[in-house]
């Protein structure tokens, strides 16, 4: 057992190092050229936030493995030698909450501060905004904790009758009690024997619980949509793929239309820039900025599609072949993802929404995989948890592209500014809390007797004021409903092939507002060819 615990610690350390290195790789390759060799503090926050999100997802499988370390122990104190998972859970999620509500907002305020101001003034301005946020959060948390920071556990008094112990009796699976009567079973009780046992939860657990509620709202919306759009988006992307290259005349016609739209966007961006300089930045200005952002993203998407159907250069045939292979890869990944999504939704329905559960389903699958090889079920368990987080990200991206009133912070290879990085990291961190809570509930049979089960299963679901959200499965029902609506949406509209709309951008020689920090209008250099 000691060797198993040592191996678990070594694996945990190695995985943390791998996660950190991978996140640094993502930062280096996704960052905008304007942010190279500067903005080191926001970069540190990005790497730290991504690492915390990934490690928090990996901690649930580690919690299960940690529980198995003392499953076959022969003395009572064996489990005291395993990892202190409850303390680790509270530490990682307190850090998660601090990053989401304080450090990331500070980094964003500092990064977007006026470049004409000194470093001290930018830090002071960022601290002022974060300080106001901290005071409000502290007051809300303190008042709520003082008033309703308690858990209400429902308990039932059990009793049974007694019988004289006979001189001999046959004890077997068919006859587990004395004289064949179930007098040793504590079944002689009524509903009136139910009582409520109230106790005050710890403040760290209460902070985790409230952060989970906030994240659960985002998780339900983004995850419910993403669980369907993640695989179906890949499959319908293959269905809508270009079947052949277009002619040069068609390319020139489409490029001309996109160039006109790019010039219109330049005029709109210039007008918004003039309003910004004049100090006119009201609600209408912000609405117009988001509209320009949406049109710009659509512009770039159209250009990418146009470049696909008319590859140029000496390696045009190779580029076309790689495009086809890319769409085939999307089809394969989409089919695999669809299987996982259907398995997730089926598991939620038959294990969480039906009472009593119709079947443990995936719980049994993981247990049987563990019987095949010690960590196979744990690996599959981790994969399903990670897939749920990917679904949340996919849903957020989809809504951000479709709705103007949601702040759009796209992640682009080699062109992502730090404020967009920070925004998306905050979203991932906030959602990761709910992903873990959701997984610990959905796989309660497999993850039973773990520290996560104690925090997210018992305390959170018995917390006064919010217990009914979990008692009546509000989040699970909304999740399945949104997933179903998204499936219907893709079935109705997803098959339609998209063509360049003339609203695109990308390669036309119009220079929209160059990216700059502060209250900026996003732009990009567009080359006309």
């Amino acid at each position: 057992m000691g060797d198993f615990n040592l191996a678990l610690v070594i694996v945990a350390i190695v995985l943390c190092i791998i996660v950190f290195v991978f996140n640094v790789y993502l930062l280096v390759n996704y960052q905008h050229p304007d942010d190279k060799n500067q903005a080191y503090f926001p970069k540190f926050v990005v790497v730290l936030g991504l690492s915390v999100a990934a490690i928090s997802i990996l901690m649930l499988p580690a919690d299960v493995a940690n529980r198995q370390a003392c499953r076959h122990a022969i003395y009572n104190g064996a489990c005291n030698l395993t990892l202190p998972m409850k303390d680790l859970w509270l530490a990682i999620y307190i850090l998660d909450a601090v990053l989401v509500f304080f450090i990331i907002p500070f980094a964003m305020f500092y990064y977007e501060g006026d470049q004409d101001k000194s470093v001290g003034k930018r830090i002071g301005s960022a601290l002022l905004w974060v300080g106001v946020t901290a005071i409000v959060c502290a007051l809300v948390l303190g008042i709520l904790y003082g008033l309703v920071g308690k858990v209400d556990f429902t308990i039932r008094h059990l009793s049974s009758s007694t019988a004289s112990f006979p001189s001999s009796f046959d004890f077997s699976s068919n006859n587990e009690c004395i004289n064949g009567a179930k007098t040793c079973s504590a079944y002689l009780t009524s509903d009136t024997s139910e009582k409520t046992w109230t106790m005050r939860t710890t403040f760290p657990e209460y902070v985790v619980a409230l952060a989970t509620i906030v994240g659960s709202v985002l998780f339900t919306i983004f995850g419910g949509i993403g669980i369907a759009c993640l695989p179906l988006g890949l499959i319908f992307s293959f269905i809508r793929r270009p079947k052949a290259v277009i002619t040069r005349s068609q390319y020139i016609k489409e490029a001309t239309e996109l160039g006109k739209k790019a010039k219109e966007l330049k005029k709109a961006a210039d007008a918004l820039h003039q309003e910004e300089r004049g100090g006119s930045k009201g609600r209408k200005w912000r609405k117009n900025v988001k509209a320009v952002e949406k049109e710009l993203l659509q512009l770039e998407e159209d250009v990418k599609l146009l470049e696909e159907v008319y590859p140029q250069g000496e390696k045009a045939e190779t580029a076309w072949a790689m495009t086809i292979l890319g769409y085939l890869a999307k089809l394969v990944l989409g089919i695999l993802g669809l299987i996982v999504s259907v398995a997730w939704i089926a598991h939620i329905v038959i294990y969480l929404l039906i009472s009593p559960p119709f079947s443990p389903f995936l719980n049994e699958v993981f247990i049987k995989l563990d019987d095949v090889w010690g960590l196979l079920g744990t690996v599959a368990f981790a994969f399903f948890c990670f897939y749920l987080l990917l679904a949340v990200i996919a849903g957020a991206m989809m809504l951000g592209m479709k709705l103007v009133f949601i702040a759009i912070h796209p992640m682009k290879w080699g062109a992502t500014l730090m404020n967009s990085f920070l925004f998306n990291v905050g979203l991932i961190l906030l959602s990761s809390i709910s992903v873990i809570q959701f997984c610990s509930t959905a796989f309660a049979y497999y993850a039973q007797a773990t520290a996560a089960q104690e925090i997210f299963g018992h305390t959170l679901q018995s917390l006064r004021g919010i217990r009914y959200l979990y008692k009546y499965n509000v989040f699970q029902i909304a999740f399945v409903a949104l997933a179903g609506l998204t499936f219907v949406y893709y079935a109705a509209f997803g098959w339609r092939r998209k063509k360049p709309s003339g609203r695109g951008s990308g390669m036309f020689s119009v220079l929209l507002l160059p990216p700059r920090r502060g209250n900026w209008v996003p732009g990009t250099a567009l080359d006309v060819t």
Side-chain angles (χ1 to χ4, degrees):
M1 183 195 64
D3 294 339
F4 186 91
N5 293 338
L6 179 60
L8 186 60
V9 172
I10 294 174
V11 170
I13 294 174
V14 171
L15 284 178
C16 289
I17 295 174
I18 293 174
V19 166
F20 177 79
V21 172
F22 180 73
N23 289 330
V24 172
Y25 171 80
L26 287 180
L27 176 67
V28 171
N29 287 277
Y30 269 91
Q31 69 176 343
H32 196 281
D34 288 353
D35 287 326
K36 287 185 177 179
N37 301 319
Q38 58 179 331
Y40 290 109
F41 177 70
K43 290 178 181 178
F44 169 77
V45 174
V46 166
V47 173
L48 177 62
L50 289 175
S51 299
V52 169
I55 291 171
S56 65
I57 299 295
L58 292 172
M59 279 182 63
L60 190 51
D63 201 350
V64 174
N66 191 63
R67 176 206 62 191
Q68 293 175 347
C70 62
R71 183 174 57 180
H72 302 296
I74 60 176
Y75 61 96
N76 292 333
C79 290
N80 295 331
L81 302 177
T82 56
L83 296 176
M85 290 305 303
K86 185 174 181 179
D87 294 335
L88 291 175
W89 275 119
L90 293 177
I92 202 74
Y93 281 113
I94 290 295
L95 178 59
D96 193 315
V98 171
L99 281 169
V100 170
F101 296 107
F102 300 107
I103 297 180
I104 289 179
F106 171 80
M108 290 187 69
F109 287 132
Y110 175 78
Y111 178 83
E112 294 181 347
D114 192 345
Q115 296 295 299
D116 296 332
K117 294 182 179 179
S118 64
V119 174
K121 290 184 177 180
R122 289 168 59 193
I123 293 176
S125 177
L127 286 175
L128 178 62
W129 283 105
V130 174
V132 173
T133 304
I135 293 173
V136 173
C137 289
L139 288 175
V140 172
L141 286 174
I143 293 173
L144 289 177
Y145 181 71
L147 295 178
V148 292
K150 299 178 181 180
V151 288
D152 297 320
F153 296 107
T154 300
I155 59 175
R156 176 179 291 184
H157 177 72
L158 300 180
S159 62
S160 69
S161 59
T162 60
S164 301
F165 198 83
S167 58
S168 64
F169 66 94
D170 181 20
F171 183 79
S172 65
S173 59
N174 296 325
N175 185 25
E176 299 179 354
C177 297
I178 301 172
N179 296 329
K182 300 295 183 180
T183 52
C184 61
S185 299
Y187 73 101
L188 298 178
T189 184
S190 62
D191 293 338
T192 57
S193 64
E194 286 189 355
K195 296 181 179 180
T196 300
W197 179 32
T198 300
M199 62 177 294
R200 183 171 291 277
T201 184
T202 64
F203 187 73
E205 288 181 338
Y206 192 73
V207 173
V208 171
L210 291 187
T212 303
I213 292 298
V214 176
S216 293
V217 176
L218 296 177
F219 165 76
T220 301
I221 298 173
F222 295 146
I225 294 173
I227 200 76
C229 76
L230 179 59
L232 292 182
L234 294 172
I235 294 174
F236 283 110
S237 178
F238 172 80
I239 295 174
R240 298 191 305 262
R241 74 191 186 282
K243 304 298 191 299
V245 297
I246 62 176
T247 63
R248 180 174 178 80
S249 60
Q250 289 175 314
Y251 171 78
I252 293 175
K253 179 181 178 181
E254 294 289 350
T256 302
E257 292 296 324
L258 293 176
K260 291 179 180 178
K261 184 59 182 179
K263 291 179 180 178
E264 293 175 3
L265 275 178
K266 179 185 180 300
K267 292 180 180 178
D270 287 340
L272 290 172
H273 199 180
Q274 291 295 329
E275 291 183 22
E276 181 189 13
R277 289 178 175 177
S280 176
K281 295 193 298 183
R283 180 180 301 178
K284 183 179 179 180
W285 182 87
R286 290 191 294 271
K287 181 179 179 181
N288 290 335
V289 168
K290 292 182 179 180
V292 169
E293 289 176 349
K294 185 178 180 180
E295 289 295 323
L296 181 59
L297 291 173
Q298 182 65 58
L299 196 63
E300 294 173 347
E301 186 180 345
D302 288 341
V303 168
K304 182 180 179 181
L305 179 60
L306 187 60
E307 290 174 340
E308 283 184 352
V309 297
Y310 191 76
Q312 303 179 59
E314 297 179 355
K315 299 182 179 180
E317 294 183 358
T318 302
W320 176 250
M322 295 302 296
T323 298
I324 297 302
L325 290 176
Y327 280 108
L328 288 173
K330 288 183 178 181
L331 176 63
V332 173
L333 293 175
I335 293 174
L336 293 176
L338 183 60
I339 295 173
V340 177
S341 293
V342 171
W344 251 118
I345 295 173
H347 179 78
I348 293 171
V349 173
I350 67 179
Y351 184 72
L352 294 180
L353 299 186
I354 297 178
S355 181
F358 180 75
S359 168
F361 193 35
L362 291 177
N363 290 283
E364 282 189 343
V365 173
F366 298 149
I367 292 173
K368 291 180 179 179
L369 289 175
D370 276 335
D371 293 336
V372 175
W373 179 59
L375 291 177
L376 190 58
T378 304
V379 172
F381 176 51
F383 170 76
F384 271 81
C385 293
F386 257 112
Y387 184 83
L388 202 58
L389 183 61
L390 291 177
V392 171
I393 297 173
M397 293 290 289
M398 179 183 178
L399 283 182
M401 296 293 239
K402 298 295 183 183
L403 303 178
V404 176
F405 59 82
I406 293 180
I408 300 175
H409 289 271
M411 298 282 291
K412 297 181 181 179
W413 189 268
T416 305
L417 292 169
M418 282 302 109
N419 58 344
S420 295
F421 244 129
L422 291 166
F423 176 85
N424 286 283
V425 169
L427 179 63
I428 293 171
L429 280 170
L430 196 56
S431 300
S432 66
I433 302 177
S434 299
V435 169
I436 295 300
Q437 187 274 330
F438 194 85
C439 289
S440 66
T441 303
F443 304 128
Y445 184 61
Y446 180 72
Q448 59 184 328
T450 59
Q453 188 66 232
E454 180 181 352
I455 296 175
F456 297 109
H458 305 305
T459 303
L460 179 61
Q461 296 183 20
S462 301
L463 198 63
R464 182 175 296 180
I466 62 176
R467 56 184 300 193
Y468 297 102
L469 295 175
Y470 296 95
K471 181 179 180 180
Y472 298 108
N473 298 319
V474 173
F475 295 123
Q476 290 91 333
I477 293 173
F479 183 94
V480 173
L482 287 172
L485 291 175
T486 307
F487 273 110
V488 172
Y489 169 82
Y490 268 92
F493 305 106
W495 57 271
R496 294 183 181 179
R497 183 179 177 183
K498 183 176 179 181
K499 298 180 180 180
S501 63
R503 299 180 302 168
S505 98
M507 27 174 226
F508 308 100
S509 72
V510 184
L511 184 65
L512 294 186
L513 291 179
R516 68 180 182 84
R517 292 180 223 146
N519 295 314
W520 55 278
V521 178
T524 183
L526 311 174
D527 296 325
V528 171
T529 55

